[in-house]
Every structure is written in structure tokens, then in C-alpha cells.
Amino acid sequence: MPRDDNGATFGAHRAKTHLGQLLDRVKQGETIVITRYGEPIAKLVPVAGSIDENRVSRAIESLRSLRQDVAARGKSLSADEILDLIGGGRPL
């Protein structure tokens, strides 16, 4: 099976025939390129590999803000206050 820098390459028919095995490989972190008539048309990638950098940045900024708020209060939070902050007022 041919390989390139992005992982293994499979024709569409072969990929369909061996889908279960390909999914196992993707689960292990490999990227699989699927071609049709030699032209790349799809890529199987691990879900864990996709990170929304904007969401991560917002979460980090929110934690920094929370840390500043707690420090400004000059006291420890109770368990109920912590759960309220984590849930943002939503039921857990």
C-alpha cells in the first residue's frame, strides 16, 4: 500500500472493503487518504486530533478571569460557589 507524509492512501473500493481496519488505524492516530481514480477525495483523521483553538483560548481566558476574581475576594470559595462557577448557573 502506498504511503505519503500524511499516512496511508487507499482507493475508494479498497477503503470500503477494509473500512473497519482503517478505522482501527485512525483510532491509533494514523491519517488515511482515500482516492477515487487516483485523485485524493477524502481524509480519515482521528477525532481527538481536531482542536478548536478559539474555544481553547476562550476557556483559558475565562479561567484567568476567574482566578483574578477569586484573588480579589481574598477568601476561599465554598464547594457550592465553585460548583456554581463551573456550571455557570446551569444544573450539573
Side-chain angles (χ1 to χ4, degrees), residues 66 70 73 76-88 92:
L66 175 62
V70 169
R73 289 181 187 201
S76 297
L77 295 175
S78 71
D80 288 336
E81 288 174 310
I82 292 171
L83 289 174
D84 284 342
L85 290 170
I86 291 171
L92 296 177

Side-chain angles (χ1 to χ4, degrees), residues 56-70:
V56 171
S57 294
R58 288 191 309 268
I60 290 170
E61 194 55 43
S62 177
L63 289 171
R64 286 183 178 144
S65 176
L66 175 62
R67 182 177 60 192
Q68 290 173 352
D69 289 347
V70 169

Side-chain angles (χ1 to χ4, degrees), residues 13-30:
H13 177 74
R14 189 168 177 207
K16 182 174 78 167
T17 304
H18 299 286
L19 181 60
Q21 293 170 346
L22 296 181
L23 292 175
D24 289 340
R25 290 171 65 169
V26 170
K27 185 177 179 181
Q28 297 300 316
E30 191 171 346

